[in-house]
Amino acid sequence: MQHAIKPRMTNPAHVLRDTGPAIMGLVKAVREGGVAESTLELVHLRASQINNCGFCVDFGVKSARKNGVGDEKLFAVAAWRETPYFSDEERAALALAESATRLADSPDAVPDAVWDAAADHFDEKQLASIVLMVALTNFFNRINVTTRQPAGAAF
């Protein structure tokens, strides 16, 4: 038996049609920053888990698989610190994603140690890509959670 989730409204990006191309332009630009697609997918998935966005977690897992992320990482991303499956680069990106997603949880939301670890593995263009991926993910999460877009629904 599946739990049916009924959206509160049509996805706002479909209601205001000019937003779709703008959003997709941002997504395309973020993916041109030189960060491995698999790393960006893990960042998206982790931020979506934190924000309890079922739509984005479902979409993120499917997209991550298409971009080469294996089940070990997909099953462990919520507990990435306690598993051996992630590279140092992925760990730095995931830590940055968590801090940038949980801004209200700490007066020093993105500590220097988190930023410096990411900067040790990524150049400025790549950092921009990761920061923008986190921001876009949080944008998507807020839209989808607020309007209750169901997991598995077509975008």
Side-chain angles (χ1 to χ4, degrees):
M1 180 173 160
Q2 289 188 335
H3 178 71
I5 296 175
K6 184 178 177 189
R8 290 178 167 151
M9 67 176 286
T10 303
N11 188 306
H14 294 282
V15 174
L16 302 175
R17 296 197 186 275
D18 288 345
T19 61
I23 293 166
M24 295 316 295
L26 283 170
V27 170
K28 182 179 183 229
V30 166
R31 296 194 176 280
E32 294 173 353
V35 178
E37 288 287 327
S38 58
T39 300
L40 291 176
E41 294 294 350
L42 291 169
V43 163
H44 171 78
L45 182 56
R46 184 64 191 123
S48 296
Q49 289 173 335
I50 292 166
N51 289 323
N52 295 314
C53 182
F55 180 94
C56 290
V57 169
D58 179 72
F59 182 87
V61 166
K62 291 171 183 171
S63 185
R65 279 191 174 131
K66 287 179 187 173
N67 283 289
V69 179
D71 283 347
E72 277 185 336
K73 288 183 181 181
L74 291 175
F75 296 148
V77 71
W80 61 269
R81 286 179 179 86
E82 284 77 34
T83 63
Y85 309 126
F86 300 90
S87 69
D88 290 343
E89 292 84 4
E90 291 167 335
R91 289 174 183 282
L94 288 166
L96 182 56
E98 286 185 356
S99 290
T101 297
R102 292 181 162 144
L103 294 175
D105 289 357
S106 171
D108 186 15
V110 182
D112 288 340
V114 169
W115 181 265
D116 292 345
D120 285 345
H121 295 286
F122 301 101
D123 64 26
E124 189 169 63
K125 186 175 178 181
Q126 292 169 318
L127 285 168
S129 182
I130 293 167
V131 169
L132 288 169
M133 175 56 87
V134 173
L136 277 171
T137 298
N138 279 278
F139 170 78
F140 292 136
N141 294 163
R142 278 146 180 76
I143 291 170
N144 292 325
V145 170
T146 301
T147 62
R148 288 194 182 144
Q149 299 301 308
F155 180 74

